[in-house]
Amino acid sequence: ESQQVHFPSNMSTNENATPAKSREELLSECMLSQFRLSVAGVGLGTAYSLRYKAGFAPMIAAGAAGTSADLIYGYLVECAEFRQSSAQNE
């Protein structure tokens, strides 16, 4: 006796259950996934703080600079395809 699998009417075997994301959502996800320069900034700021006993200020400043650099790099380079496709749809 064979068993049949029944799918809900809004779902087929070839489709994903989640709805398609808009280009703006994809751009947001791409931008928020940028972290490399933030981590590098905090790491370098921490090393500087420990080496020169300068407190937390260099670590915070370097982390903020790294975060800003991540956003700029992500917007101009990593996520450019999503940004351009979003601009074309407007």
Side-chain angles (χ1 to χ4, degrees), residues 19-28 82 86:
K21 293 182 180 177
S22 70
R23 295 184 200 296
E24 289 81 14
E25 289 174 322
L26 292 172
L27 176 61
S28 296
F82 300 118
S86 293

Side-chain angles (χ1 to χ4, degrees), residues 37-84:
L37 298 173
S38 298
V39 171
V42 170
L44 290 173
T46 302
Y48 183 87
S49 293
L50 293 174
R51 171 87 170 115
Y52 296 105
K53 298 183 181 12
F56 290 108
M59 181 176 59
I60 293 169
T67 301
S68 298
D70 268 332
L71 290 175
I72 293 168
Y73 180 76
Y75 188 75
L76 296 176
V77 179
E78 289 284 328
C79 306
E81 63 194 49
F82 300 118
R83 179 176 48 91
Q84 291 168 350

